[in-house]
Amino acid sequence: MRFGALEAGGTKMIVAIGDENGKILERASFPTKTPEETMPQMIDFFKDKEIESLGIACFGPIDLNKDSKTYGYITSTPKLDWKNYDIVGAFKKALNVPVGFDTDVNGSLLGEITWGCAKDKTDALYLTIGTGIGGGVMTNGKLLHGMLHPELGHIRLAKVPGDDYAGKCPYHGTCFEGLAAGPAIEERWGKKAVELADRDEVWELESEYIAQALSSFILTLSPQIIILGGGVMHQMQLFPLIREKVVKQLNGYLNTKELENMDKYIVPASLNDDQGIMGAVKLAIDVKGEIK
Ligand code: ADP
Ligand code: ZN
């Protein structure tokens, strides 16, 4: 069977055809311009591919409440051309197939849960640290939506003494994203994050903030595994630093078998940056199953 998949990002739209095993058979990518320009390109890609259904893992905020009048819309996004845009409705109308819809980070988590490093888990957290910070959560085998969807990048953290950076988040200044996403690293240190690879103090500070956030998520969500993706996490030296600081911050309060093996507890994404598009394939498979 063939399923359509879209990983909708603020910079680019990745479209693909996948099979029931998550294998990507064909893919393309278009820059995210206006809906008038970009939607026809994506619809053209899917049009004659005989897909059963479509899965969309989408940047947000988005409306995931099926009882809402604006279910399937991108809502208050800073990408103004896409604000209040009915992306699910537009694809349903153009392609006449069922459409599954979730956040980009829930999509990545679903990819990892279905085909990646979190296969046997029922409770997991996926965090992306890139242009922004966002998190997807699975609890008891279900993706967590709540009243909207979690916004794990915007929690408050304790500022490290000596770090006088004002923070980058337009809403909260020094929230997690404001302190630790790629653009914050670049503004604080005055260089592209990738060019700071050999500056130990950069990653020392970065790992402190990431560890603070993860400690809070461990205490509130009790995940069995934490997967870290996104551009910034390509700095692999962060992993041992984060693990060590999380252990220090939790200070022996929790004693679980998962926390005994930190190398397997806090891990990099495992699907070569295909976790998002593969998760979108799974959203398509699931929506087809729901409808049968
Ligand atoms: P997006 O979040 O826009 O989908 P990415 O996850 O690639 O895209 O995140 C982009 C951010 O990550 C930028 O701020 C960039 O500087 C940073 N970044 C990308 N690659 C690296 C790298 N190898 N090392 C450190 N930072 C990186
Ligand atoms: Zn914020």
Side-chain angles (χ1 to χ4, degrees):
M1 274 201 263
R2 295 160 64 83
F3 299 94
L6 163 61
E7 185 182 5
T11 330
K12 61 178 192 283
M13 300 285 191
I14 301 172
V15 290
I17 307 297
D19 70 10
E20 61 277 18
N21 301 313
K23 185 164 176 224
I24 303 297
L25 307 167
E26 194 179 330
R27 74 170 79 205
S29 159
F30 306 106
T32 306
K33 294 189 178 154
T34 62
E36 292 70 32
E37 210 171 330
T38 312
M39 286 297 294
Q41 294 177 313
M42 296 192 282
I43 289 165
D44 265 0
F45 173 86
F46 289 122
K47 214 172 43 196
D48 300 317
K49 304 263 159 70
E50 297 181 348
I51 55 174
E52 301 283 328
S53 54
L54 174 68
I56 307 176
C58 192
F59 69 98
I62 58 179
D63 188 345
L64 292 172
N65 175 1
K66 289 196 174 142
D67 298 327
S68 155
K69 272 198 290 210
T70 52
Y71 168 76
Y73 281 54
I74 299 171
T75 59
S76 55
T77 175
K79 292 285 288 183
L80 293 179
D81 291 327
W82 295 84
K83 198 170 164 164
N84 299 321
Y85 184 71
D86 180 11
I87 189 165
V88 169
F91 275 113
K92 267 193 184 154
K93 195 164 158 218
L95 301 173
N96 199 22
V97 293
V99 177
F101 188 51
D102 215 314
T103 61
D104 45 6
V105 276
N106 268 349
S108 294
L109 175 58
L110 197 56
E112 293 286 354
I113 289 263
T114 315
W115 293 296
C117 64
K119 246 188 206 159
D120 48 342
K121 307 291 194 269
T122 56
D123 293 78
L125 171 66
Y126 181 96
L127 203 67
T128 181
I129 305 181
T131 306
I133 298 183
V137 180
M138 179 169 275
T139 64
N140 280 326
K142 287 213 151 130
L143 293 170
L144 180 63
H145 295 135
M147 60 175 181
L148 176 72
H149 46 76
E151 282 285 354
L152 302 184
H154 294 270
I155 63 163
R156 287 242 157 248
L157 299 179
K159 207 112 178 262
V160 171
D163 178 21
D164 53 15
Y165 177 58
K168 187 98 184 138
C169 177
Y171 290 90
H172 320 109
T174 57
C175 65
F176 181 21
E177 177 174 299
L179 285 169
I185 300 178
E186 292 170 2
E187 192 169 74
R188 184 193 278 108
W189 301 96
K191 259 191 186 175
K192 286 253 162 238
V194 68
E195 291 163 17
L196 294 160
D198 57 356
R199 294 267 300 273
D200 290 352
E201 67 275 29
V202 172
W203 310 107
E204 195 51 43
L205 184 68
E206 179 70 9
S207 63
E208 169 67 28
Y209 288 131
I210 297 172
Q212 276 192 30
L214 294 192
S215 297
S216 289
F217 302 147
I218 292 166
L219 292 163
T220 48
L221 300 166
S222 208
Q224 297 158 328
I225 189 169
I226 296 176
I227 305 151
L228 301 178
V232 172
M233 292 314 305
H234 288 137
Q235 296 295 321
M236 296 303 284
Q237 72 274 27
L238 280 169
F239 281 89
L241 293 170
I242 293 166
R243 292 181 189 122
E244 184 190 309
K245 290 183 166 69
V246 165
V247 169
K248 212 178 265 175
Q249 289 171 17
L250 292 175
N251 199 23
Y253 185 68
L254 300 175
N255 295 291
T256 63
K257 67 173 177 3
E258 288 84 355
L259 291 172
E260 273 169 25
N261 193 347
M262 290 301 281
D263 289 355
K264 292 226 163 86
Y265 186 62
I266 297 176
V267 297
S270 71
L271 296 170
N272 292 323
D273 285 335
D274 271 354
Q275 57 272 18
I277 196 71
M278 290 171 76
V281 173
K282 183 65 163 73
L283 287 172
I285 294 171
D286 288 351
V287 75
K288 181 73 188 166
E290 263 171 39
I291 281 162
K292 254 183 217 156

